[in-house]
Amino acid sequence: MGTSHFEDSAALHGRHFELSLTMAPGSSIGIRLREDCELSYDFAVGELELRMGPVCGAGRDERRMRLPELTDLRLFVDDTTLEIFVNDGWATMTSRMFGTSDEVRVEAPGSTGSFWEMRGFTVEG
């Protein structure tokens, strides 16, 4: 377990983690989680979009949010839960997310971020 700090982009690995990003003003970003889950923000359009393919989405496909500016994101991911906090919690997105990959790819030019791996847990009894 540990924390990684990065700028602009990162190729990371983890199934239980917190990812925090602070965006440069006027920037667009792309985050790919597991096999086919993508979170993107297009500054020119002013829209945050969560797209999930057949593996990660298991029937869920996309969610969109009109957002004139994106200043920061916090993602919490565990085995099947994805929590997204937008602009210091001004808005949120939540979804179930499936898949077996532990890949996390971040493309966020001009941004800074941190990635903290968390320990998974099992409920017994």
Side-chain angles (χ1 to χ4, degrees):
M1 306 300 126
T3 303
S4 301
H5 298 280
F6 60 90
E7 293 182 17
D8 297 326
S9 65
L12 307 159
H13 293 275
R15 290 197 47 87
H16 310 95
F17 61 86
E18 175 186 345
L19 172 65
S20 294
L21 285 174
T22 301
M23 267 44 89
S27 63
S28 297
I29 63 148
I31 301 170
R32 184 171 176 93
L33 305 168
R34 298 190 183 162
E35 286 85 354
D36 57 8
C37 178
E38 294 183 12
L39 179 66
S40 61
Y41 177 71
D42 185 335
F43 177 76
V45 176
E47 187 171 81
L48 182 67
E49 181 178 30
L50 175 64
R51 288 184 312 276
M52 301 215 275
V55 174
C56 289
R60 296 162 189 82
D61 54 6
E62 68 181 33
R63 295 189 176 139
R64 296 170 188 243
M65 176 186 306
R66 299 294 283 158
L67 197 61
E69 182 181 25
L70 180 62
T71 59
D72 62 84
L73 281 174
R74 273 182 99 179
L75 280 67
F76 293 92
V77 176
D78 70 12
D79 284 325
T80 62
T81 303
L82 170 60
E83 301 271 354
I84 303 166
F85 294 85
V86 181
N87 293 348
D88 280 329
W90 178 82
T92 62
M93 288 182 170
T94 301
S95 184
R96 298 284 307 268
M97 180 177 66
F98 302 96
T100 58
S101 174
D102 69 349
E103 283 190 79
V104 179
R105 295 197 176 274
V106 179
E107 294 296 327
S111 301
T112 58
S114 63
F115 181 84
W116 179 55
E117 275 190 272
M118 298 184 287
R119 194 172 306 189
F121 70 92
T122 302
V123 177
E124 296 179 11

